[in-house]
Amino acid sequence: MATRRRTSTSENNKNTKLTLLPDPVSGFRRILMLIMLVAAVALPCLALYNAVYPLRLFHSSPQNSLAAANPSLDTEEVKLERVLKAASMKDKTVIITTLNEAWAAPNSIFDLFLESFKIGENTKGLLKHLVVIALDQKAYKRCLEVHPHCYALTVEGVDFSVEAYFMSKPYLKMMWSRIDILRVVLELGYNFLFTDADIMWFRDPFKRFYEDTDFQIATDNYALNDSYNLNNMPNGGFTYVKSNSRSIEFYKFWFTSRIKYKNKHDQSVLMLIKHDPFLTKIGLKIRFLNTMYFGGFCETSKDFNQVSTMHANCCFGLDTKIHDINIMLDDWRNYASSSPSLKSSWNSTWRVPQNCSIKNFDRDYKPKRLVQVEKKD
């Protein structure tokens, strides 16, 4: 209902002017309808955004860093950037690994990983550039006990503290969380060398990387003898990536591609997208690393005098990995303690894999605890 208001134009003017004032009830209805309309549009968009970028607190760019704008803001981004800055080389390069409770426990994978740096050739000094991204509080606590550069990453609704068995739901979540946090590192302007903690470091790998390449990645098998050939089998456990617009766009594309290729881990999706025209469009330069320098249990390095790293890949199960990694470290100690003349003619081969032998793989095996958890889900 409209209300009347009488307005006099002048003392001598008897004519009146009517002004319709808005009905307060109708106005409230219009506002309510507008709010409902905005919510109907915004909430689905927010849900999609959360699905695509679960680590949404970290969206930034190196040109507009929250840390630079306001150092007092103790956001997750600021915490991460603080750790990266402390560990960074002069050219803003960091070494990164991820860790959960199972791998962080004493005498487990993390201790063996650190040991390899200490017994390798000129690798101990690289530890000051290593950033450990802990996936649970116990891993974070253990990291702080033995290493200066630790960052605690929390992914809502996922328990990373126990061993994430291959292709289980926690495993997939962990792998994709890793890809997303690496995208954040690139956006903050840092180059990174990502290494799984089950990769043993025996020599400085930076001397073996290619110049003028955006994305370099290890391979399970380097049968093609061609670092440019996209048919190589990539292994996402060891990647050297330079921060630029091409690499950032690539990591966004890689991460969002998990929606198209459901229930696949990052490495499988990379196999599917490495030929995608989008990579050519953005001009990404990719090269694959030779197993002579970057070997593993899938394909061991054939030359102790050339090897930089060895990966305990093609291996399922924590105890199995620990057993074979210890043998691998003993093989290296035996080589490293030999005389220069003996090293130059070294023809011994690795005694691994043993328990990790590909002949013993059982891709369908799952621990009883994992089966029980999946039944509850």
Side-chain angles (χ1 to χ4, degrees), residues 198 220-221 235 296-299 311-317 320-321 324 353 355-361 363:
D198 62 347
D220 284 339
N221 303 101
N235 186 303
F297 293 168
C298 296
E299 184 173 292
H311 191 178
N313 52 8
C314 288
C315 184
F316 298 157
T320 304
K321 277 184 184 286
D324 280 21
N355 291 3
C356 288
S357 174
I358 196 167
K359 296 178 182 178
N360 298 329
F361 276 6
R363 293 181 178 272

Coordinates of all heavy atoms in Angstrom, one line a residue, residues 198 220-221 235 296-299 311-317 320-321 324 353 355-361 363:
D198 N 61.7 -41.0 -0.5 CA 62.3 -42.3 -0.8 C 63.3 -42.2 -1.9 O 63.7 -43.3 -2.5 CB 61.2 -43.3 -1.0 CG 60.4 -43.1 -2.2 OD1 60.4 -42.0 -2.8 OD2 59.7 -44.0 -2.6
D220 N 60.5 -43.5 -15.2 CA 60.6 -44.9 -14.7 C 61.5 -45.7 -15.6 O 62.3 -46.6 -15.2 CB 59.2 -45.5 -14.6 CG 58.5 -45.0 -13.4 OD1 59.1 -44.5 -12.5 OD2 57.2 -45.1 -13.4
N221 N 61.4 -45.4 -16.9 CA 62.2 -46.1 -17.9 C 62.6 -45.1 -19.0 O 61.8 -44.4 -19.5 CB 61.4 -47.3 -18.6 CG 60.9 -48.3 -17.6 OD1 59.7 -48.2 -17.2 ND2 61.8 -49.1 -17.1
N235 N 58.0 -39.9 -14.0 CA 57.8 -40.2 -12.6 C 57.8 -38.9 -11.8 O 58.8 -38.2 -11.7 CB 58.9 -41.1 -12.1 CG 58.6 -41.6 -10.7 OD1 58.4 -40.8 -9.7 ND2 58.5 -42.9 -10.5
G296 N 66.5 -45.7 -10.4 CA 65.5 -46.1 -9.4 C 65.3 -47.6 -9.5 O 66.0 -48.3 -10.3
F297 N 64.5 -48.2 -8.7 CA 64.2 -49.6 -8.7 C 63.6 -50.1 -10.0 O 63.7 -51.2 -10.4 CB 63.4 -50.0 -7.5 CG 64.1 -49.8 -6.1 CD1 63.4 -49.9 -5.0 CD2 65.5 -49.6 -6.1 CE1 64.1 -49.8 -3.7 CE2 66.1 -49.5 -4.9 CZ 65.4 -49.6 -3.7
C298 N 62.8 -49.1 -10.6 CA 62.2 -49.5 -11.9 C 63.3 -49.7 -12.9 O 63.3 -50.7 -13.7 CB 61.3 -48.4 -12.4 SG 59.8 -48.1 -11.4
E299 N 64.3 -48.8 -12.9 CA 65.4 -48.9 -13.8 C 66.6 -48.3 -13.1 O 66.7 -47.1 -13.0 CB 65.1 -48.2 -15.2 CG 66.2 -48.4 -16.2 CD 65.8 -47.8 -17.5 OE1 64.9 -48.4 -18.2 OE2 66.4 -46.8 -17.9
H311 N 65.8 -43.8 -6.8 CA 64.5 -43.7 -6.2 C 64.0 -45.2 -5.9 O 64.1 -46.1 -6.7 CB 63.6 -43.1 -7.3 CG 62.2 -42.8 -6.8 ND1 61.3 -42.2 -7.7 CD2 61.6 -42.9 -5.6 CE1 60.2 -42.0 -7.0 NE2 60.3 -42.4 -5.8
A312 N 63.4 -45.3 -4.7 CA 62.8 -46.6 -4.3 C 61.4 -46.7 -4.9 O 60.4 -46.9 -4.2 CB 62.8 -46.7 -2.8
N313 N 61.3 -46.6 -6.3 CA 60.0 -46.7 -6.9 C 59.8 -48.1 -7.3 O 60.6 -49.0 -7.0 CB 60.0 -45.7 -8.2 CG 61.2 -45.9 -9.1 OD1 62.0 -46.9 -8.9 ND2 61.4 -45.1 -10.1
C314 N 58.7 -48.3 -8.0 CA 58.3 -49.7 -8.3 C 58.3 -50.6 -7.1 O 58.8 -51.7 -7.1 CB 59.1 -50.3 -9.4 SG 58.8 -49.6 -11.1
C315 N 57.8 -50.0 -6.0 CA 57.9 -50.7 -4.7 C 56.7 -50.3 -3.9 O 56.4 -49.2 -3.6 CB 59.2 -50.3 -4.0 SG 59.5 -51.2 -2.5
F316 N 55.9 -51.3 -3.4 CA 54.8 -51.1 -2.5 C 55.1 -51.5 -1.1 O 55.7 -52.6 -0.9 CB 53.6 -51.9 -3.0 CG 53.1 -51.5 -4.4 CD1 52.3 -52.4 -5.1 CD2 53.4 -50.3 -4.9 CE1 51.9 -52.0 -6.4 CE2 52.9 -49.9 -6.2 CZ 52.2 -50.8 -6.9
G317 N 54.7 -50.7 -0.1 CA 54.8 -51.1 1.3 C 56.0 -50.5 1.9 O 57.1 -50.5 1.4
T320 N 59.0 -52.8 3.1 CA 59.7 -53.3 1.9 C 60.7 -52.2 1.4 O 61.8 -52.5 1.1 CB 58.7 -53.6 0.8 OG1 57.8 -54.6 1.3 CG2 59.4 -54.2 -0.4
K321 N 60.2 -51.0 1.4 CA 61.0 -49.8 0.9 C 62.2 -49.7 1.9 O 63.4 -49.5 1.4 CB 60.2 -48.5 0.9 CG 59.4 -48.3 -0.3 CD 58.7 -46.9 -0.3 CE 57.8 -46.7 -1.5 NZ 58.6 -46.4 -2.7
D324 N 65.0 -52.3 1.3 CA 65.8 -52.2 0.1 C 66.6 -50.9 0.1 O 67.7 -50.8 -0.4 CB 64.9 -52.3 -1.1 CG 64.6 -53.7 -1.5 OD1 64.7 -54.6 -0.6 OD2 64.2 -54.0 -2.6
P353 N 66.7 -53.8 -6.9 CA 65.7 -54.2 -5.9 C 65.8 -55.6 -5.5 O 66.2 -56.5 -6.2 CB 64.4 -53.9 -6.5 CG 64.7 -54.1 -8.0 CD 66.1 -53.6 -8.2
N355 N 63.4 -57.1 -2.1 CA 62.0 -57.2 -1.7 C 61.1 -56.4 -2.6 O 59.9 -56.6 -2.7 CB 61.8 -56.8 -0.2 CG 62.5 -57.8 0.7 OD1 63.1 -58.8 0.2 ND2 62.3 -57.6 2.0
C356 N 61.7 -55.3 -3.2 CA 60.9 -54.4 -4.0 C 60.8 -54.9 -5.5 O 60.4 -54.2 -6.4 CB 61.5 -53.0 -4.0 SG 61.2 -52.1 -2.5
S357 N 61.3 -56.1 -5.7 CA 61.4 -56.6 -7.1 C 60.0 -56.5 -7.8 O 59.0 -56.8 -7.2 CB 61.8 -58.1 -7.1 OG 61.7 -58.6 -8.4
I358 N 60.0 -56.1 -9.0 CA 58.7 -56.0 -9.7 C 58.0 -57.3 -9.9 O 56.8 -57.3 -10.0 CB 59.0 -55.3 -11.1 CG1 57.7 -54.8 -11.7 CG2 59.7 -56.3 -12.1 CD1 57.9 -54.0 -13.0
K359 N 58.8 -58.4 -9.8 CA 58.1 -59.7 -9.8 C 57.2 -60.0 -8.6 O 56.3 -60.8 -8.7 CB 59.2 -60.8 -9.9 CG 60.1 -60.7 -11.1 CD 61.2 -61.8 -11.1 CE 62.1 -61.7 -12.3 NZ 63.2 -62.7 -12.3
N360 N 57.5 -59.2 -7.5 CA 56.7 -59.4 -6.3 C 55.5 -58.5 -6.2 O 54.9 -58.5 -5.1 CB 57.6 -59.3 -5.1 CG 58.7 -60.4 -5.1 OD1 58.5 -61.4 -5.6 ND2 59.9 -60.0 -4.5
F361 N 55.3 -57.6 -7.2 CA 54.2 -56.7 -7.1 C 52.9 -57.3 -7.0 O 52.6 -58.3 -7.7 CB 54.2 -55.7 -8.4 CG 55.2 -54.6 -8.2 CD1 56.1 -54.5 -7.2 CD2 55.2 -53.6 -9.2 CE1 56.9 -53.4 -7.1 CE2 56.1 -52.5 -9.1 CZ 57.0 -52.4 -8.1
R363 N 49.4 -55.5 -7.2 CA 48.7 -54.2 -7.3 C 47.3 -54.3 -6.6 O 46.7 -53.2 -6.3 CB 48.5 -53.7 -8.7 CG 49.8 -53.4 -9.4 CD 49.6 -52.9 -10.8 NE 50.9 -52.5 -11.4 CZ 51.4 -51.3 -11.3 NH1 50.8 -50.4 -10.7 NH2 52.6 -51.0 -11.9

